[in-house]
Amino acid sequence: MLNILVTFLLSLLVSLDGYVIGFSFGLKRIRIPLSIVMMIAGFSSVVILISMGVGHLIGELVPTKNIQVFAGLLLIGAGLYHFLQDPPLYRRSYFLMIALFMNIDNIGYGIQAGLAQRPLSFAPLAGLLLCVSMVVGVIHGQETKNRFLLRYVSIAPALLFILLGLSKVLLS
């Protein structure tokens, strides 16, 4: 029973990035097609599953802290790019870039899960929770009535990416 609870909590942890990213898109009133969200979640599940296999194979050779710091730096870079260039968030290439950045740290989570001999159900559960958290994040972002956030909505996603990246760098 404890193993199931730990697996669920780890899956929830992996999905927090999806909520923040969904919230940032929702603030700009941009709807992410459900097919894109499902592709990102499916891609995340596959990345976690493969990295769990790698975790089983390589043992403790890869320091996952370094992977999380790298992922944080990439998210900061995406935030800075968005802040300076303000790319149209509706482009599929931008969604692909976000999916790749989100999954760099999922490699670390998957390796850790593989090292800890977590059940393979961790990968699809993490993908499912990521999908749900992105959708909930978009809905919450779209329903936000906070005047401060709405006034600065054009820079809010960039700031959220930077803060998410900083949290990965500083807390890993």
Side-chain angles (χ1 to χ4, degrees), residues 12-119:
L12 194 60
L13 176 69
V14 170
S15 69
L16 289 178
D17 293 353
Y19 176 81
V20 172
I21 290 170
F23 185 79
S24 67
F25 284 118
L27 278 177
K28 288 192 102 169
R29 307 295 191 252
I30 295 172
R31 291 185 170 214
I32 304 173
L34 188 57
S35 61
I36 297 291
V37 173
M38 291 173 64
M39 284 191 295
I40 290 172
F43 182 67
S44 295
S45 292
V46 169
V47 166
I48 291 171
L49 187 63
I50 290 171
S51 60
M52 284 178 72
V54 170
H56 283 294
L57 293 175
I58 65 169
E60 296 185 18
L61 296 177
V62 176
T64 55
K65 178 181 178 184
N66 293 348
I67 292 172
Q68 290 176 346
V69 168
F70 182 65
L73 292 174
L74 286 177
L75 281 169
I76 292 169
L80 290 174
Y81 174 76
H82 176 74
F83 186 68
L84 298 173
Q85 299 294 328
D86 195 22
L89 292 177
Y90 54 84
R91 276 203 245 154
R92 290 184 190 267
S93 61
Y94 194 75
F95 289 127
L96 178 64
M97 184 174 69
I98 295 304
L100 292 174
F101 289 164
M102 282 176 56
N103 280 295
I104 289 173
D105 64 333
N106 285 348
I107 292 170
Y109 292 131
I111 290 173
Q112 288 173 338
L115 291 171
Q117 304 293 319
R118 297 278 174 239

Side-chain angles (χ1 to χ4, degrees), residues 125-148:
L125 181 61
L128 176 67
L129 289 176
L130 177 70
C131 182
V132 170
S133 67
M134 281 187 77
V135 170
V136 169
V138 169
I139 292 168
H140 282 160
Q142 289 176 344
E143 291 179 352
T144 296
K145 304 281 189 253
N146 186 316
R147 290 181 186 198
F148 177 78

